[in-house]
């Protein structure tokens, strides 16, 4: 009897018609990049205050009693503009960095996905592997542009609130002074740590996102399908034997939930690496030379033990979860907007 029930559930879930994956060949590239630049710039503007707060918490000493206290101090002393220090520089780097990221992500995912399926790997495993490799390659490609932008914008974020000897009038002035002082290498401070932080994080994130969606659909899809909640019948279906497909809002909710789960986990795992990276990029080494990983770790431990590596975890966790949810829903929406008309797309 239990076997019969299981079989019935399997038949019911099999009726679920999920949206097709949009691959690189199906996209109108010019529309994809132009719309992507506009959409992601807007998302970056909305999430930037959390990045400023996280960065201040990571480098300040002594540390504020809480993230809320730090946010209140910024608002009281600098007003709302204090949460947007370095934003112009960050925004200037968003377009080329996101362009590299999206191109590397989609090309790699399409190529690796096709190759793994041809090797006889199951579709679920192939999707997870392709997503992981795509996330890894996209992170590495984007950091070529993003690391210099990160170095400049983060110094502007903490200027006046940290013991920096250099004073900057803006992004261009910071660029000139960093190059004059340390050469081009100065713009790539922490590049290795950035790769160590973002490459594994992106690989895990995209793989987790892919698997989370499948787990959510398999976990709740059956029940929602039976209740017809958030689903609609296909033209050829009926309640007893036809296929059903999720409504657009149901797809967005599942994508957002999957992204939040993956983003929160990635934030927790990579927090110490992000703290070390930020300090290397922002702090000046003085007479002893540039900050190194060893010096940075020792400095953190002196200031607050290993827990100091998790300063700013709250804002970063919230930022990454919100960012992941917003970014992925925007990204999936962008792909739908950029699909070539002749290819079609069944939501």
């Amino acid at each position: 009897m239990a076997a019969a029930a299981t079989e019935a559930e399997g038949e019911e879930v099999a009726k679920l018609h999920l949206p097709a994956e949009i691959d690189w060949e199906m996209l109108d590239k010019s529309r994809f990049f132009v719309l992507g630049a506009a959409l992601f710039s807007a998302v970056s503007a909305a999430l930037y205050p959390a990045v400023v707060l996280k960065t201040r918490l990571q480098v300040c000493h002594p540390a504020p009693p809480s993230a809320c206290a730090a946010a209140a101090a910024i608002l009281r002393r600098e007003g709302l503009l204090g949460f947007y220090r370095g934003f112009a520089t960050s925004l200037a780097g968003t377009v080329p960095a996101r362009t590299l990221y999206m191109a590397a992500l989609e090309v790699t995912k399409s190529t690796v996905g096709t190759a793994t399926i041809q090797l006889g790997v199951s579709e679920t495993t192939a999707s997870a592997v392709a997503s992981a490799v795509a996330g890894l390659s996209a992170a590495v490609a984007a950091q070529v542009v993003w690391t210099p932008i990160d170095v400049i914008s983060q110094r502007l974020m903490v200027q006046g609130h940290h013991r920096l000897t250099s004073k900057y009038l803006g992004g261009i002035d910071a660029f000139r002074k960093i190059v004059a002082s340390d050469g081009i290498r100065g713009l790539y401070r922490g590049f290795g740590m950035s790769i160590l932080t973002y490459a594994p994080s992106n690989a895990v994130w995209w793989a987790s996102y892919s698997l989370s969606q499948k787990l959510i659909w398999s976990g709740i899809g059956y029940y929602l399908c039976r209740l017809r909640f958030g689903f609609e019948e296909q033209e050829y279906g009926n309640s007893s034997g036809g296929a059903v497909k999720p409504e657009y809002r149901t797809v967005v909710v599942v994508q957002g939930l999957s992204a939040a789960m993956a983003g929160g986990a990635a934030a927790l795992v990579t927090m110490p690496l992000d703290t070390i990276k930020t300090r290397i990029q922002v702090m000046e080494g003085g007479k002893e030379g540039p900050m190194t990983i060893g010096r940075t770790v020792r400095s953190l431990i002196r200031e607050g033990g290993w827990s100091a590596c998790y300063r700013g975890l709250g804002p970063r966790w919230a930022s990454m979860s919100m960012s992941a949810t917003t970014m992925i829903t925007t990204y999936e929406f962008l792909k739908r907007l950029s699909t070539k008309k002749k290819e079609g797309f069944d939501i």
Side-chain angles (χ1 to χ4, degrees):
M1 190 168 180
T6 302
E7 184 179 351
E9 288 188 12
E11 290 176 358
E12 197 74 40
V13 174
K15 298 175 183 178
L16 200 59
H17 180 67
L18 297 179
E21 180 74 21
I22 303 177
D23 60 29
W24 183 246
E25 289 72 23
M26 297 170 65
L27 296 173
D28 180 328
K29 309 303 186 295
S30 58
R31 192 189 312 167
F32 181 68
F33 288 124
V34 171
L35 290 176
L39 288 172
F40 284 116
S41 294
V43 171
S44 296
L47 299 174
Y48 195 77
V51 178
V52 172
L53 180 59
K54 182 268 302 182
T55 303
R56 294 267 186 101
L57 287 169
Q58 286 177 321
V59 302
C60 65
H61 180 65
S66 67
C68 291
I74 294 173
L75 192 60
R76 184 174 60 254
R77 296 169 185 169
E78 305 169 57
L80 286 174
L81 289 178
F83 288 102
Y84 283 90
R85 282 197 173 205
F87 178 66
T89 301
S90 179
L91 185 62
T94 294
V95 175
R98 289 290 177 191
T99 299
L100 274 173
Y101 187 94
M102 291 187 293
L105 181 74
E106 290 301 327
V107 170
T108 307
K109 189 191 294 185
S110 179
T111 304
V112 175
T114 302
T116 48
I117 289 176
Q118 289 175 347
L119 291 173
V121 178
S122 68
E123 186 176 342
T124 300
T125 304
S127 176
V129 171
S131 296
V133 176
L136 185 69
S137 67
V140 173
Q143 284 307 310
V144 173
V145 173
W146 198 249
T147 297
I149 296 298
D150 230 8
V151 169
I152 295 171
S153 62
Q154 286 179 341
R155 291 198 179 198
L156 293 172
M157 287 178 198
V158 302
Q159 184 171 239
H161 298 270
H162 184 66
R163 48 186 182 276
L164 290 175
T165 56
S166 301
K167 301 298 179 184
Y168 309 113
L169 301 177
I172 295 176
D173 184 53
F175 172 84
R176 288 172 179 164
K177 287 180 178 176
I178 292 171
V179 171
S181 173
D182 304 320
I184 295 297
R185 290 181 61 184
L187 295 173
Y188 281 89
R189 267 194 182 189
F191 180 73
M193 281 302 301
S194 295
I195 298 298
L196 287 175
T197 302
Y198 294 120
S201 175
N202 272 263
V204 171
W205 192 95
W206 280 102
S208 299
Y209 172 69
S210 176
L211 291 173
S212 294
Q213 282 199 89
K214 288 178 170 56
L215 286 172
I216 291 173
W217 284 122
S218 63
I220 67 171
Y222 163 69
Y223 298 102
L224 293 179
C225 182
R226 291 196 59 163
L227 295 171
R228 298 299 188 266
F229 179 77
F231 289 80
E232 58 185 21
E233 295 284 352
Q234 295 281 59
E235 292 181 0
Y236 52 81
N238 55 60
S239 59
S240 60
V244 294
K245 64 177 181 178
E247 294 175 352
Y248 174 65
R249 62 184 179 183
T250 307
V251 174
V252 171
V253 168
V254 171
Q255 289 173 343
L257 181 58
S258 301
M261 291 166 60
L268 183 63
V269 171
T270 60
M271 186 66 204
L273 294 173
D274 185 69
T275 300
I276 295 168
K277 173 195 74 72
T278 301
R279 286 204 161 207
I280 289 174
Q281 291 177 329
V282 171
M283 297 178 73
E284 296 175 343
K287 296 180 180 179
E288 298 178 31
M291 293 295 291
T292 62
I293 295 175
R295 286 183 62 194
T296 304
V297 172
R298 287 192 296 272
S299 173
L300 280 166
I301 293 175
R302 280 197 306 270
E303 290 178 17
W306 289 107
S307 62
C309 295
Y310 285 88
R311 283 181 186 169
L313 175 61
R316 186 167 189 257
W317 186 88
S319 173
M320 284 191 69
S321 295
M322 290 188 297
S323 174
T325 302
T326 308
M327 289 289 185
I328 202 64
T329 50
T330 302
Y331 184 68
E332 297 287 1
F333 177 62
L334 170 64
K335 287 171 70 175
R336 276 189 290 274
L337 288 178
S338 305
T339 305
K340 294 175 182 176
K341 297 298 183 182
K342 64 179 181 180
E343 298 286 355
F345 180 58
D346 189 14
I347 298 293

